[in-house]
Amino acid sequence: MHSRNMVSCSSELACVNVDAHWAESDEWREWGPPRNLVAGESYHVEELRSLCGVPTENGYLQPVEACFVREASNPYDPNAWRVEVAGIAVGHARRELAAVLSEALDRTNCSSFNVCGVLRGGSFGAPNIGVHVWLDRRTSAGPEILFDDNEREVAWPPYDGEGSQARDHALHERLLIWLNR
């Protein structure tokens, strides 16, 4: 992604535009494709496994809220934005995106914002887990970001059965936790 491909990143914060319970329905599966705008997941394998679990036959397709947190003191990139899921660091915004976000949001003192995302992968054949996000689906006030191309869009919609076994496993785990309260 190159910043020239971005149509706009507002310096004014836009309102929440997704229902608080979006992840509980399958409506997100009907949205347009998320984008691969998070880098460095390979440095966070254990953290991602703690969120999903071990590889399964059909992998994972887990809707999540992704929190972008400004990391101006990052020694590798002064424009850095760390990406967290459930308070756990899972990567960073790609450099080109981070530069655009920092330029627009540092003026507003916006140090974090949340968007819809999905953890995807973790099958026996492809054990790595990626973090893909819909920057236009805000769960908190945040920037309005528009793209003029489809660069970094991931293959979508999910294939039939993708994440199904993992979804059943996650549901079973949540049920056990609830029953043991």
Side-chain angles (χ1 to χ4, degrees):
M1 182 184 85
H2 302 92
S3 58
R4 65 180 163 73
N5 291 337
M6 197 163 300
V7 172
S8 70
C9 176
S10 65
S11 57
E12 294 182 19
L13 299 183
C15 297
V16 171
N17 63 356
V18 175
D19 180 77
H21 303 287
W22 70 273
E24 296 168 16
S25 74
D26 276 345
E27 185 178 318
W28 56 271
R29 291 174 176 262
E30 305 301 319
W31 295 348
R35 293 183 187 252
N36 182 6
L37 298 171
V38 178
E41 297 104 315
S42 63
Y43 295 101
H44 300 278
V45 172
E46 293 305 315
E47 293 86 346
L48 288 163
R49 291 248 190 283
S50 76
L51 293 165
C52 290
V54 297
T56 67
E57 182 178 343
N58 293 318
Y60 295 92
L61 187 64
Q62 182 175 324
V64 296
E65 182 175 59
C67 181
F68 283 70
V69 180
R70 184 70 167 97
E71 204 175 59
S73 62
N74 184 303
Y76 303 104
D77 182 3
N79 293 317
W81 287 79
R82 182 179 63 250
V83 179
E84 298 178 353
V85 171
I88 299 170
V90 294
H92 283 83
R94 294 192 180 277
R95 283 184 185 267
E96 300 86 358
L97 174 61
V100 172
L101 291 173
S102 296
E103 181 181 344
L105 298 181
D106 284 354
R107 287 180 264 161
T108 67
N109 291 322
C110 176
S111 60
S112 67
F113 63 93
N114 300 330
V115 297
C116 298
V118 63
L119 301 180
R120 191 177 194 186
S123 67
F124 294 139
N128 292 335
I129 299 168
V131 181
H132 307 302
V133 295
W134 287 279
L135 289 180
D136 60 340
R137 305 280 181 166
R138 294 176 300 280
T139 59
S140 73
E144 184 170 4
I145 302 168
L146 303 173
F147 295 87
D148 66 358
D149 62 17
N150 59 1
E151 192 168 343
R152 297 212 182 270
E153 286 183 352
V154 300
W156 202 256
Y159 65 84
D160 289 340
E162 183 176 359
S164 61
Q165 185 180 38
R167 178 193 241 176
D168 293 344
H169 176 72
L171 183 60
H172 178 72
E173 290 296 316
R174 282 187 287 231
L175 182 59
L176 287 176
I177 290 169
W178 184 79
L179 290 172
N180 292 321
R181 297 187 307 172

